[in-house]
Amino acid sequence: MYKVHPDVKEMLHLSEKTTEELKKQYNLLVSELKIARNAYEFERASDVKTEMVYIIEELKNRKELKTAR
């Protein structure tokens, strides 16, 4: 979906985390995004949104692998 240098995704170590950890991290990022937007921290908001997209992609990939079995 988004073309990104693979090292950026690997730095987040998403593949090493459990599904529950990813969901918890996503929920924390949602609240962090609200704070960043309210404080007009646009660069931070962009970084948070990017990380949220990576988490969503990881969760979708896991779901697809699980249903493919």
Side-chain angles (χ1 to χ4, degrees), residues 13-69:
H13 303 289
L14 297 178
S15 61
E16 299 172 5
K17 296 183 180 180
T18 65
T19 302
E20 291 301 318
E21 289 174 330
L22 289 175
K23 289 179 181 179
K24 186 175 181 181
Q25 183 177 356
Y26 181 86
N27 289 331
L28 290 172
L29 289 172
V30 168
S31 60
E32 191 174 330
L33 179 62
K34 289 179 186 176
I35 293 169
R37 284 181 174 165
N38 288 335
Y40 298 102
E41 296 174 351
F42 300 115
E43 288 182 29
R44 179 64 188 142
S46 176
D47 292 343
V48 170
K49 287 191 288 187
T50 303
E51 190 171 342
M52 290 169 71
V53 167
Y54 295 154
I55 291 173
I56 290 169
E57 287 179 351
E58 180 68 26
L59 290 170
K60 282 183 182 180
N61 288 339
R62 289 180 185 191
K63 186 176 180 179
E64 289 173 3
L65 288 174
K66 189 175 182 180
T67 56
R69 293 181 189 175

